[in-house]
Amino acid sequence: MLLNENINGTHSWLIEYINRCKSGEIIIGYELMQELDVLLRHFNNPEITVDFTDAHKRIKFIETKCKHFEAPFAGKPFILMLFQKAFIEAIYIFKIYDEEVGRLIRLYQDVLYLVSRKNGKTPLISAMCLAEFFCGPMGLRILCSSNDYEQADLMFQAINSMREESPGLEKVTRKNIKGVFFGNPKKPKKNGKFSYKNKGTIRKISAKTGAKEGRNIGVGAVDEVHEMKDDTSVMPIRQALSTQDEPLFFELTTEGVVNDGYLDNRLKEARQVLDGELERPRWLIWLHTQDNEQEIWQNEKSWHKSNPGLGVIKKWSFMRKMIEEAKNSKSKRVFVLSKDFNIKQNNAAAWLTPEDIENLETFDIEEFRNCFAIGGVDLSKTGDFCSARALLMKPGSDKKYFLQHYFIPEAKLNTLNREEERKYREWVRQGLITLSDGNENDFRHVTAWFVKLFKEYGIRFYKVGYDKWSAVYWRKEMEEYGFDTQKVDQNWGSMSEPMKLLEVDLKSNKVVYNNHPIDRLCLENTAMNVNTKEEIMPIKIQGKDDKKIDGAVTKMICYRVYIDNKIEFLELVKRTA
């Protein structure tokens, strides 16, 4: 049954939104519907007073005073969509009597706002903070925060840009490196809210800065909380709100890839509240989420559940492009599902399928006699394999051919279970692994393998990539033999691009590794660690900490050297034709 959208002569955007969601005209997820059902009950609760004054004052302020500052909407009035107006109403219209304060105050003090990227969450909360600055009480202090200073600055700059776009707002305020303040030195006012006597401020801090400037604030807004590992940067802000009669604390975010982080715990509590298992009456939980992953691939209309601005703020063409890319790239799939659809992803997700890894094509080393190669090594003294590798290519082809060899200390074999030891000793017998005496790998064997390829087959190494770990003396030895080396750090910036290119090449059967059993094993054991910048790194699959991935890592090291020196290397490949 639909409710009357007019209450005492005032139109309710929240009720209109609820009615259109209930009728199916607007598609939302189950979790948001749970919250809307809670809000519906408030209208019939005798202990809750419904007052539209504060909400509509702020909606009017945003639509008449705030303007967009980024393309493609730069300079245009900030006209709120229905879901945004409903969200603002949900925060402000419900009042309860507080015995301690002695008057009616706002019911909701904490707001969790989860919505997919590019749906205007930062501009919306920024506009609400600016509206609160002007429409709220005198002396109101507002704090913008995030996990890093750059992200916190995005919200602050959004607030300030809207202020600057409005001549009426700019002439009664000022900005400096510390923040935004009331009072304009060019047109000073002696008294009133817009004078220097109003000590209200808008500032920014990050998790790294701490919350020293956050004491006695009235509004706190924390952006992208999915990046936070714990609540160390959030709790000081929440505590700084404790002196206020009507504090307002915003947490706005998309889903993320940080396991067991702050957002995971926060959403766990939020869902307990929505399910009636936990009581948090002052917490507004507004989650734009999908009901399951399957509907994303099967029904475009379901995308509205996590993307309420789709078709107005966010483009359909962008979403369709992301979906197509996600079908062909595991790293893109993780990022798209978490960022565009709020489906939680493990940040150590499996990287390849068995079909990606399988390649039965083989080649004879004689095919590459007197050719140029790129080398790669992953060195370890004790725990893991040492892996050495040569990347070779043929003129006019983008296939990558790999020669490889592995090294392990003799003592390590004695620590393996019977089945593992049998397998490793068979690989030693086959000449796939070289043993070092004692407990440590002898890196001279690694150098000897590269020298052997040169002396016996004339394979000349353009560059040999290495990780800095345990490599100081080995690098000197290699350079004494005339090899040119290149350091490849195993970090996000260095490993992400080669790992992605290797994935694409594996999927398209452009990686030929002679069906090497240890290479195949290393690829099967490799997962990808994803960060918030959509960068990836190799990591061992969860629960397989004792398994080896060194062979996959050396492929990526070779790819890093190849990417950095592609033009020069391919020119050398042509000369050997």
Side-chain angles (χ1 to χ4, degrees):
M1 180 178 176
L2 302 182
L3 292 181
N4 189 338
E5 295 174 6
N6 293 294
I7 298 179
N8 298 326
T10 301
H11 181 80
S12 172
W13 302 109
L14 177 58
I15 294 179
E16 179 185 348
Y17 183 65
I18 293 173
N19 285 342
R20 293 172 69 177
C21 291
K22 291 285 186 181
S23 69
E25 181 183 349
I26 295 176
I27 300 172
I28 64 170
Y30 174 72
E31 291 178 328
L32 182 54
M33 189 65 80
Q34 283 182 296
E35 181 63 26
L36 295 184
D37 286 338
V38 172
L39 299 176
L40 268 179
R41 292 194 290 271
H42 290 345
F43 286 98
N44 297 315
N45 188 336
E47 296 183 357
I48 295 177
T49 300
V50 177
D51 183 351
F52 293 96
T53 306
D54 291 341
H56 288 194
K57 183 178 182 180
R58 285 153 180 79
I59 289 172
K60 182 179 179 181
F61 176 90
I62 292 171
E63 294 196 322
T64 58
K65 297 296 183 181
C66 297
K67 291 183 179 180
H68 292 285
F69 58 94
E70 291 181 324
F73 306 109
K76 297 180 180 179
F78 199 132
I79 304 301
L80 296 165
M81 295 180 67
L82 178 59
F83 81 91
Q84 295 172 324
K85 292 179 180 179
F87 175 65
I88 295 172
E89 273 197 11
I91 296 171
Y92 285 100
I93 67 174
F94 300 113
K95 312 284 186 178
I96 59 170
Y97 185 81
D98 187 283
E99 295 283 352
E100 187 176 10
V101 178
R103 62 177 175 86
L104 288 173
I105 63 171
R106 186 179 356 96
L107 170 63
Y108 289 116
Q109 297 182 351
D110 295 343
V111 180
L112 176 59
Y113 184 45
L114 178 75
V115 67
S116 298
R117 64 172 173 169
K118 304 303 179 184
N119 279 277
K121 69 178 183 304
T122 300
L124 174 61
I125 304 301
S126 299
M128 292 178 67
C129 286
L130 189 60
E132 193 65 24
F133 191 54
F134 279 88
C135 301
M138 190 166 176
L140 182 69
R141 296 187 177 186
I142 298 174
L143 193 63
C144 306
S145 178
S146 190
N147 201 47
D148 59 58
Y149 196 77
E150 183 178 353
Q151 188 65 44
D153 189 56
L154 287 179
M155 180 178 291
F156 178 81
Q157 293 300 335
I159 294 172
N160 184 58
S161 296
M162 291 180 197
R163 180 192 69 88
E164 291 178 336
E165 284 289 327
S166 173
L169 303 183
E170 187 179 30
K171 73 179 182 180
V172 295
T173 54
R174 68 190 189 279
K175 173 188 173 289
N176 58 35
I177 59 173
K178 292 183 178 181
V180 173
F181 305 85
F182 279 110
N184 189 327
K186 296 180 180 178
K187 296 181 180 181
K189 292 180 179 289
K190 294 183 178 180
N191 295 295
K193 186 171 185 176
F194 303 139
S195 71
Y196 277 78
K197 290 185 177 180
N198 185 348
K199 302 304 180 184
T201 62
I202 303 175
R203 295 175 182 260
K204 59 186 174 184
I205 64 168
S206 72
K208 299 177 178 65
T209 310
K212 296 178 182 178
E213 299 162 289
R215 298 172 188 157
N216 200 29
I217 61 174
V219 178
V222 185
D223 201 359
E224 302 296 7
V225 297
H226 66 84
E227 297 179 357
M228 298 178 181
K229 294 181 179 180
D230 53 42
D231 64 357
T232 53
S233 60
V234 171
M235 288 310 296
I237 296 173
R238 297 189 70 183
Q239 290 166 358
L241 294 161
S242 61
T243 63
Q244 302 295 312
D245 292 342
E246 295 186 82
L248 187 54
F249 177 61
F250 289 106
E251 293 174 297
L252 56 152
T253 188
T254 60
E255 256 293 5
V257 293
V258 176
N259 293 333
D260 298 321
Y262 172 75
L263 182 60
D264 286 342
N265 296 324
R266 196 71 167 147
L267 285 175
K268 181 180 178 180
E269 288 186 352
R271 285 165 177 142
Q272 288 176 326
V273 173
L274 294 176
D275 291 336
E277 300 170 1
L278 192 64
E279 190 174 353
R280 294 284 190 276
R282 313 302 296 273
W283 191 12
L284 179 67
I285 301 165
W286 198 277
L287 309 180
H288 289 284
T289 53
Q290 299 290 142
D291 293 331
N292 56 67
E293 182 181 330
Q294 289 71 28
E295 65 182 357
I296 296 170
W297 311 103
Q298 298 170 0
N299 182 10
E300 280 191 357
K301 292 182 179 179
S302 75
W303 297 353
H304 281 287
K305 295 179 180 180
S306 51
N307 295 273
L310 191 57
V312 178
I313 304 173
K314 192 171 185 176
K315 293 188 177 298
W316 280 99
S317 58
F318 172 82
M319 292 290 287
R320 291 174 180 135
K321 176 185 176 184
M322 291 296 100
I323 284 291
E324 286 305 311
E325 291 182 10
K327 290 177 181 178
N328 300 313
S329 168
K330 187 63 68 69
S331 61
K332 179 68 72 173
R333 179 189 179 100
V334 169
F335 197 79
V336 167
L337 288 178
S338 62
K339 293 305 194 182
D340 288 307
F341 296 101
N342 284 328
I343 300 287
K344 172 66 179 180
Q345 300 293 295
N346 189 322
N347 69 338
W351 181 38
L352 301 169
T353 66
E355 291 76 18
D356 298 335
I357 296 170
E358 190 69 27
N359 188 323
L360 301 180
E361 183 178 350
T362 59
F363 65 94
D364 192 313
I365 191 173
E366 288 291 344
E367 298 176 37
F368 292 96
R369 181 172 288 277
N370 299 321
C371 286
F372 282 92
I374 286 173
V377 295
D378 185 28
L379 301 174
S380 174
K381 282 188 175 294
T382 54
D384 288 325
F385 283 135
C386 263
S387 174
R389 184 171 305 276
L391 181 156
L392 304 124
M393 296 182 70
K394 295 179 179 180
S397 172
D398 57 355
K399 276 191 176 182
K400 282 85 173 175
Y401 298 82
F402 283 109
L403 296 172
Q404 59 285 97
H405 199 73
Y406 292 88
F407 309 83
I408 196 170
E410 172 76 36
K412 179 66 178 178
L413 294 183
N414 300 327
T415 67
L416 303 175
N417 62 48
R418 182 177 299 179
E419 179 61 26
E420 287 283 298
E421 183 181 0
R422 185 199 63 77
K423 182 169 60 177
Y424 276 58
R425 291 199 180 278
E426 176 61 22
W427 285 336
V428 172
R429 189 190 66 77
Q430 293 174 4
L432 306 181
I433 299 177
T434 295
L435 289 179
S436 295
D437 295 332
N439 296 312
E440 295 184 356
N441 277 311
D442 186 344
F443 294 159
R444 290 176 296 180
H445 292 316
V446 179
T447 305
W449 182 76
F450 284 100
V451 173
K452 177 183 177 181
L453 290 178
F454 173 69
K455 288 185 175 181
E456 295 187 8
Y457 300 99
I459 294 177
R460 292 158 288 176
F461 283 87
Y462 171 65
K463 286 182 186 290
V464 179
Y466 70 96
D467 179 51
K468 62 183 178 181
W469 178 256
S470 303
V472 176
Y473 297 109
W474 174 82
R475 179 178 58 82
K476 290 181 179 179
E477 182 182 47
M478 287 287 285
E479 290 176 350
E480 287 173 359
Y481 275 96
F483 292 96
D484 189 6
T485 59
Q486 175 179 327
K487 185 171 74 170
V488 177
D489 293 329
Q490 292 191 30
N491 56 31
W492 299 104
S494 183
M495 298 299 283
S496 182
E497 187 179 8
M499 189 174 182
K500 289 179 180 179
L501 180 57
L502 176 58
E503 178 186 345
V504 172
D505 281 354
L506 283 165
K507 288 179 182 293
S508 54
N509 291 318
K510 292 181 178 179
V511 176
V512 183
Y513 58 91
N514 265 342
N515 200 24
H516 196 286
I518 306 178
D519 268 20
R520 189 166 58 248
L521 182 68
C522 289
L523 290 171
E524 290 171 351
N525 292 336
T526 304
M528 60 176 180
N529 199 359
V530 186
N531 70 6
T532 56
K533 298 178 181 178
E534 204 181 340
E535 295 174 328
I536 62 176
M537 271 187 65
I539 190 173
K540 294 177 182 179
I541 287 178
Q542 192 171 10
K544 293 188 176 183
D545 294 339
D546 60 331
K547 304 302 181 182
K548 312 304 178 189
I549 66 170
D550 307 73
V553 171
T554 50
K555 284 186 177 71
M556 296 170 204
I557 289 174
C558 287
Y559 265 68
R560 178 75 269 169
V561 177
Y562 168 76
I563 291 169
D564 292 344
N565 304 277
K566 182 177 179 179
I567 295 175
E568 294 89 341
F569 178 66
L570 292 181
E571 187 62 34
L572 292 173
V573 171
K574 287 181 183 178
R575 294 180 189 176
T576 61

